[in-house]
Amino acid sequence: MKDADLYGGLIRLHILYHASKEPVFGFGIMEELRRHGYRLSAGTLYPMLHAMEEAGHLRSRSRNVEGKIRRNYLITAKGRNTLAAAKDNVRELFGELFEED
């Protein structure tokens, strides 16, 4: 299994978490993920953002920032519900993963 396959869900949850706090945009979330050790290319991240939008977890708005069009992503009600449920599941899973440590 490739690492991208293994960590894809965690990355999506990380995106939802940040989008729940404030609008996110591609390069900004790429930098945030890099701080946590995830190295995603634009060719990986943008399809992920688009798929999350298509699934109804995010919605996007285009903005003009210093003469460039930037697409900001905001969490939806469905995304908030998904994030809340995922927090419970992740807490339980990680508790089990680390119970022997």
Side-chain angles (χ1 to χ4, degrees), residues 5 8 12-14 18-19 24-25 31 38 41 49 57 64 67 74 80-81 88 91 93:
D5 294 337
R12 286 173 183 84
L13 289 176
H14 202 110
H18 282 283
V24 298
F25 61 99
E31 288 294 309
Y38 299 105
S41 69
L49 289 169
H57 294 113
N64 187 323
L74 302 99
R80 284 189 192 283
N81 291 336
D88 292 336
R91 191 175 288 117
L93 172 63

Side-chain angles (χ1 to χ4, degrees), residues 27-89:
F27 183 74
I29 200 68
M30 200 179 305
E31 288 294 309
E32 170 61 23
L33 291 167
R34 187 172 290 129
R35 280 187 343 100
H36 296 284
Y38 299 105
R39 305 270 186 251
L40 272 72
S41 69
T44 298
L45 179 64
Y46 286 102
M48 188 179 289
L49 289 169
H50 296 159
M52 291 174 73
E53 184 174 21
E54 193 170 301
H57 294 113
L58 298 173
R59 72 176 190 274
S60 67
R61 292 188 186 143
S62 296
R63 287 185 7 173
N64 187 323
V65 178
E66 298 178 9
K68 295 182 181 180
I69 301 299
R70 176 183 291 169
R71 183 172 290 238
N72 285 336
Y73 293 87
L74 302 99
I75 196 166
T76 63
K78 181 179 180 180
R80 284 189 192 283
N81 291 336
T82 298
L83 181 60
K87 282 181 178 182
D88 292 336
N89 292 338

